Amino acid sequence: MHWMLLPLRRYADFKGRSRRREYWMFVLLVMAVVAAAGLAMIATAGSFASEREMQTRFTVWAGFALLPLIVPLIAVTVRRLHDLGLSGWWLLAFFVAGAIPMIDTLAALAQIIVMALPGRKADNRFGTDPKAPPA
């Protein structure tokens, strides 16, 4: 639970580095919030006239549920990129590539692969190794 909430404590901290565990546990929390929003929508709405109506309502419910988590998600993603020795601007590159049809799936897969890579074991220009034992 500590790892899920750590990005909320570092709400808008775009400096430093974050471990894979911190990033992926926060992504798991975000997915749980989206699932809870979907369940709440179904519980309160009952039936839907069409699939389009259901998709629209889910987008609204999930959007409101994710609104307070957007800044911490961006911040932890930037810190995760820093742990790999990459600039936070790579997140913008993934976002732009994800908006281009026929490249979007490749961009999403590339981002998942990059986020799953182990971080640099030594200090880098973004800070000390988060896995290093305290001095």
Side-chain angles (χ1 to χ4, degrees):
M1 192 67 153
H2 164 75
W3 293 103
M4 282 185 173
L5 301 177
L6 186 59
L8 293 175
R9 285 189 221 119
R10 297 174 71 185
Y11 188 81
D13 181 11
F14 293 89
K15 295 182 189 307
R17 297 167 62 173
S18 288
R19 297 174 59 174
R20 281 184 291 185
R21 181 180 296 171
E22 180 182 350
Y23 174 78
W24 287 111
M25 291 301 284
F26 191 67
V27 168
L28 182 64
L29 176 67
V30 168
M31 287 192 282
V33 167
V34 169
L39 289 174
M41 177 204 65
I42 291 169
T44 59
S47 63
F48 303 99
S50 67
E51 186 178 333
R52 183 95 167 148
E53 179 188 354
M54 182 181 73
Q55 290 172 347
T56 303
R57 282 193 185 179
F58 178 75
T59 302
V60 170
W61 277 77
F64 280 119
L66 288 176
L67 200 58
L69 299 177
I70 290 173
V71 173
L73 182 60
I74 293 170
V76 75
T77 305
V78 167
R79 290 193 311 268
R80 180 73 196 116
L81 289 167
H82 287 174
D83 191 40
L84 296 166
L86 299 171
S87 168
W89 289 105
W90 276 94
L91 180 59
L92 180 63
F94 286 127
F95 182 76
V96 169
I100 300 171
M102 297 178 30
I103 297 178
D104 54 352
T105 304
L106 291 175
L109 287 172
Q111 184 176 1
I112 290 170
I113 291 168
V114 167
M115 293 299 156
L117 294 173
R120 306 275 175 166
K121 293 190 188 265
D123 297 350
N124 65 19
R125 63 185 172 138
F126 301 107
T128 59
D129 182 7
K131 286 186 171 181

Coordinates of all heavy atoms in Angstrom, one line a residue, residues 52-97:
R52 N -23.3 2.9 -27.2 CA -22.7 4.3 -27.3 C -23.0 5.1 -26.0 O -22.1 5.8 -25.5 CB -23.3 5.0 -28.5 CG -22.7 6.4 -28.8 CD -21.6 6.2 -29.8 NE -21.3 7.5 -30.2 CZ -20.0 7.8 -30.6 NH1 -19.1 6.9 -30.5 NH2 -19.7 9.0 -31.0
E53 N -24.2 5.0 -25.5 CA -24.6 5.7 -24.3 C -23.7 5.2 -23.1 O -23.3 5.9 -22.3 CB -26.1 5.5 -24.0 CG -26.5 6.2 -22.7 CD -27.9 5.8 -22.3 OE1 -28.6 5.2 -23.1 OE2 -28.3 6.3 -21.2
M54 N -23.5 3.8 -23.1 CA -22.7 3.3 -22.0 C -21.3 3.8 -22.1 O -20.7 4.1 -21.1 CB -22.8 1.7 -22.1 CG -22.0 1.1 -21.0 SD -22.0 -0.7 -21.1 CE -20.9 -1.0 -22.4
Q55 N -20.7 3.8 -23.3 CA -19.3 4.3 -23.4 C -19.2 5.7 -23.0 O -18.3 6.1 -22.4 CB -18.9 4.1 -24.9 CG -18.7 2.7 -25.3 CD -18.4 2.5 -26.8 OE1 -18.6 3.5 -27.6 NE2 -18.0 1.4 -27.2
T56 N -20.2 6.6 -23.4 CA -20.2 8.0 -23.1 C -20.3 8.2 -21.6 O -19.5 8.9 -21.0 CB -21.3 8.7 -23.7 OG1 -21.2 8.5 -25.2 CG2 -21.3 10.2 -23.4
R57 N -21.2 7.5 -20.9 CA -21.3 7.6 -19.4 C -20.0 7.1 -18.7 O -19.6 7.7 -17.8 CB -22.5 6.8 -18.9 CG -23.8 7.5 -19.2 CD -24.9 6.8 -18.4 NE -26.2 7.4 -18.7 CZ -27.3 7.0 -18.2 NH1 -27.3 6.0 -17.3 NH2 -28.4 7.6 -18.5
F58 N -19.4 6.0 -19.2 CA -18.2 5.5 -18.6 C -17.1 6.5 -18.7 O -16.3 6.7 -17.8 CB -17.8 4.1 -19.2 CG -16.5 3.6 -18.6 CD1 -16.6 3.0 -17.3 CD2 -15.4 3.7 -19.3 CE1 -15.4 2.6 -16.8 CE2 -14.2 3.2 -18.7 CZ -14.2 2.6 -17.5
T59 N -17.0 7.1 -19.9 CA -15.9 8.1 -20.1 C -16.1 9.2 -19.1 O -15.1 9.7 -18.5 CB -16.0 8.6 -21.6 OG1 -15.8 7.5 -22.4 CG2 -14.9 9.6 -21.8
V60 N -17.3 9.7 -18.9 CA -17.6 10.8 -18.0 C -17.2 10.4 -16.5 O -16.5 11.1 -15.8 CB -19.0 11.3 -18.1 CG1 -19.4 12.2 -17.0 CG2 -19.3 11.9 -19.4
W61 N -17.7 9.2 -16.1 CA -17.5 8.7 -14.8 C -16.0 8.5 -14.5 O -15.5 8.9 -13.5 CB -18.2 7.4 -14.5 CG -19.7 7.6 -14.2 CD1 -20.7 7.9 -15.0 CD2 -20.2 7.5 -12.9 NE1 -21.9 8.0 -14.3 CE2 -21.6 7.7 -13.0 CE3 -19.7 7.1 -11.6 CZ2 -22.5 7.7 -11.9 CZ3 -20.6 7.1 -10.5 CH2 -21.9 7.4 -10.7
A62 N -15.3 7.8 -15.5 CA -13.9 7.6 -15.3 C -13.1 8.9 -15.3 O -12.1 9.0 -14.6 CB -13.4 6.6 -16.4
G63 N -13.5 9.8 -16.2 CA -12.8 11.1 -16.2 C -12.9 11.8 -14.9 O -11.8 12.4 -14.4
F64 N -14.0 11.9 -14.3 CA -14.2 12.5 -13.0 C -13.4 11.8 -11.9 O -12.8 12.4 -11.0 CB -15.6 12.7 -12.6 CG -16.3 13.9 -13.2 CD1 -17.4 13.7 -14.0 CD2 -15.8 15.2 -13.1 CE1 -18.0 14.7 -14.7 CE2 -16.4 16.2 -13.7 CZ -17.6 16.0 -14.5
A65 N -13.3 10.5 -12.0 CA -12.6 9.7 -11.0 C -11.1 9.9 -11.1 O -10.4 9.9 -10.2 CB -13.0 8.2 -11.1
L66 N -10.6 10.0 -12.4 CA -9.2 10.2 -12.6 C -8.7 11.6 -12.5 O -7.5 11.8 -12.5 CB -8.9 9.6 -14.0 CG -8.9 8.1 -14.2 CD1 -8.7 7.7 -15.6 CD2 -8.0 7.5 -13.3
L67 N -9.6 12.6 -12.5 CA -9.1 14.0 -12.5 C -8.1 14.3 -11.4 O -7.1 14.9 -11.7 CB -10.4 14.9 -12.4 CG -10.2 16.3 -12.8 CD1 -9.8 16.4 -14.2 CD2 -11.5 17.0 -12.6
P68 N -8.3 13.8 -10.2 CA -7.3 14.2 -9.2 C -6.0 13.3 -9.3 O -5.0 13.7 -8.6 CB -8.0 13.9 -7.8 CG -9.1 13.0 -8.1 CD -9.5 13.2 -9.6
L69 N -6.0 12.3 -10.1 CA -4.8 11.5 -10.3 C -4.0 11.8 -11.5 O -2.9 11.2 -11.7 CB -5.3 10.0 -10.3 CG -6.0 9.5 -9.1 CD1 -6.5 8.0 -9.4 CD2 -5.2 9.6 -7.9
I70 N -4.4 12.7 -12.3 CA -3.6 13.0 -13.5 C -2.3 13.6 -13.2 O -1.3 13.1 -13.8 CB -4.5 13.9 -14.4 CG1 -5.7 13.2 -15.0 CG2 -3.6 14.5 -15.6 CD1 -6.6 14.0 -15.8
V71 N -2.2 14.6 -12.4 CA -0.9 15.2 -12.1 C 0.1 14.2 -11.4 O 1.2 14.1 -11.9 CB -1.0 16.5 -11.3 CG1 0.3 17.0 -10.8 CG2 -1.8 17.6 -12.1
P72 N -0.4 13.4 -10.4 CA 0.6 12.5 -9.9 C 1.0 11.4 -10.8 O 2.1 10.9 -10.8 CB -0.2 11.8 -8.7 CG -1.3 12.7 -8.4 CD -1.6 13.5 -9.6
L73 N 0.1 11.0 -11.8 CA 0.4 10.0 -12.8 C 1.5 10.5 -13.7 O 2.5 9.8 -14.1 CB -0.8 9.6 -13.5 CG -0.6 8.5 -14.6 CD1 0.0 7.2 -13.9 CD2 -1.9 8.2 -15.3
I74 N 1.4 11.8 -14.1 CA 2.4 12.4 -15.0 C 3.7 12.5 -14.3 O 4.8 12.2 -14.8 CB 1.9 13.7 -15.6 CG1 0.7 13.5 -16.5 CG2 3.0 14.5 -16.3 CD1 0.0 14.8 -16.9
A75 N 3.6 12.9 -13.0 CA 4.9 13.1 -12.2 C 5.6 11.8 -12.0 O 6.8 11.8 -12.2 CB 4.5 13.8 -10.9
V76 N 4.9 10.7 -11.6 CA 5.6 9.5 -11.4 C 6.1 8.9 -12.7 O 7.1 8.3 -12.7 CB 4.7 8.5 -10.6 CG1 3.6 7.9 -11.5 CG2 5.5 7.4 -10.0
T77 N 5.4 9.2 -13.8 CA 5.9 8.7 -15.1 C 7.2 9.4 -15.5 O 8.2 8.8 -16.0 CB 4.9 8.9 -16.2 OG1 3.7 8.2 -15.8 CG2 5.3 8.3 -17.5
V78 N 7.2 10.7 -15.3 CA 8.5 11.5 -15.5 C 9.6 11.0 -14.7 O 10.7 10.8 -15.1 CB 8.2 13.0 -15.4 CG1 9.5 13.8 -15.3 CG2 7.3 13.5 -16.5
R79 N 9.3 10.8 -13.4 CA 10.4 10.3 -12.5 C 10.9 8.9 -12.9 O 12.0 8.6 -12.8 CB 9.9 10.3 -11.0 CG 9.7 11.7 -10.4 CD 9.6 11.7 -8.9 NE 8.6 10.8 -8.5 CZ 7.3 11.1 -8.3 NH1 6.9 12.3 -8.5 NH2 6.4 10.2 -7.8
R80 N 9.9 8.1 -13.4 CA 10.3 6.8 -13.9 C 11.2 6.9 -15.1 O 12.2 6.1 -15.2 CB 9.1 6.0 -14.2 CG 9.3 4.6 -14.7 CD 9.8 3.6 -13.6 NE 10.4 2.5 -14.2 CZ 11.6 2.1 -14.1 NH1 12.4 2.8 -13.3 NH2 12.1 1.1 -14.7
L81 N 10.9 7.8 -16.0 CA 11.8 8.0 -17.1 C 13.2 8.5 -16.7 O 14.2 8.1 -17.2 CB 11.2 9.0 -18.1 CG 10.0 8.5 -18.9 CD1 9.2 9.6 -19.6 CD2 10.4 7.5 -19.9
H82 N 13.2 9.4 -15.6 CA 14.4 9.8 -15.1 C 15.3 8.7 -14.5 O 16.5 8.7 -14.7 CB 14.2 10.8 -14.0 CG 13.7 12.2 -14.4 ND1 13.3 13.2 -13.6 CD2 13.6 12.7 -15.7 CE1 13.0 14.2 -14.2 NE2 13.1 14.0 -15.5
D83 N 14.6 7.7 -13.9 CA 15.3 6.5 -13.4 C 16.0 5.8 -14.5 O 17.0 5.1 -14.3 CB 14.3 5.6 -12.6 CG 15.0 4.5 -11.8 OD1 16.1 4.8 -11.2 OD2 14.5 3.4 -11.8
L84 N 15.5 5.8 -15.7 CA 16.1 5.2 -16.9 C 17.1 6.0 -17.5 O 17.8 5.6 -18.5 CB 15.0 4.8 -17.9 CG 13.9 3.8 -17.4 CD1 12.7 3.8 -18.3 CD2 14.5 2.4 -17.3
G85 N 17.3 7.2 -17.0 CA 18.3 8.1 -17.6 C 17.7 8.9 -18.8 O 18.5 9.5 -19.6
L86 N 16.4 8.9 -19.0 CA 15.7 9.6 -20.1 C 15.1 10.9 -19.5 O 14.7 11.0 -18.4 CB 14.6 8.7 -20.7 CG 15.1 7.4 -21.3 CD1 13.9 6.6 -21.7 CD2 16.0 7.7 -22.5
S87 N 14.9 11.9 -20.4 CA 14.3 13.1 -20.1 C 12.8 12.9 -20.0 O 12.2 12.0 -20.6 CB 14.6 14.1 -21.2 OG 13.7 15.3 -21.0
G88 N 12.1 13.7 -19.2 CA 10.7 13.6 -19.0 C 9.9 14.0 -20.3 O 8.8 13.7 -20.5
W89 N 10.6 14.6 -21.2 CA 10.0 15.0 -22.5 C 9.7 13.8 -23.4 O 8.9 13.8 -24.3 CB 10.9 15.9 -23.3 CG 11.0 17.3 -22.7 CD1 12.0 17.8 -22.0 CD2 10.0 18.3 -22.7 NE1 11.7 19.1 -21.6 CE2 10.5 19.4 -22.0 CE3 8.7 18.4 -23.3 CZ2 9.7 20.5 -21.8 CZ3 8.0 19.5 -23.1 CH2 8.5 20.6 -22.4
W90 N 10.2 12.6 -23.0 CA 9.8 11.4 -23.7 C 8.4 11.1 -23.5 O 7.7 10.4 -24.4 CB 10.7 10.2 -23.2 CG 12.0 10.1 -23.9 CD1 13.2 10.7 -23.5 CD2 12.3 9.5 -25.2 NE1 14.2 10.5 -24.5 CE2 13.6 9.7 -25.5 CE3 11.5 8.8 -26.1 CZ2 14.2 9.2 -26.7 CZ3 12.1 8.3 -27.2 CH2 13.4 8.5 -27.5
L91 N 7.8 11.5 -22.4 CA 6.4 11.3 -22.1 C 5.6 12.0 -23.2 O 4.6 11.5 -23.7 CB 6.0 11.7 -20.7 CG 4.5 11.6 -20.4 CD1 4.1 10.1 -20.5 CD2 4.3 12.1 -19.0
L92 N 6.0 13.2 -23.5 CA 5.3 14.0 -24.6 C 5.4 13.2 -25.9 O 4.5 13.2 -26.7 CB 5.8 15.4 -24.7 CG 5.2 16.3 -25.7 CD1 3.7 16.5 -25.4 CD2 5.9 17.6 -25.8
A93 N 6.6 12.7 -26.2 CA 6.8 11.9 -27.4 C 5.8 10.7 -27.5 O 5.2 10.4 -28.5 CB 8.2 11.5 -27.6
F94 N 5.7 10.0 -26.4 CA 4.7 8.9 -26.3 C 3.3 9.3 -26.5 O 2.5 8.7 -27.2 CB 4.8 8.1 -25.0 CG 6.1 7.3 -24.9 CD1 6.9 7.4 -23.8 CD2 6.4 6.3 -25.8 CE1 8.0 6.6 -23.6 CE2 7.5 5.5 -25.7 CZ 8.3 5.7 -24.6
F95 N 3.0 10.5 -25.9 CA 1.6 11.0 -26.1 C 1.3 11.4 -27.5 O 0.3 11.1 -28.1 CB 1.4 12.2 -25.1 CG 0.1 12.8 -25.2 CD1 -1.0 12.2 -24.6 CD2 -0.2 14.0 -25.9 CE1 -2.3 12.7 -24.6 CE2 -1.4 14.6 -25.9 CZ -2.5 13.9 -25.3
V96 N 2.2 12.1 -28.1 CA 2.1 12.5 -29.5 C 2.0 11.3 -30.5 O 1.1 11.2 -31.3 CB 3.2 13.5 -30.0 CG1 3.2 13.7 -31.5 CG2 3.1 14.8 -29.2
A97 N 2.9 10.3 -30.3 CA 2.8 9.1 -31.1 C 1.5 8.4 -30.9 O 1.0 7.7 -31.8 CB 4.0 8.2 -30.8

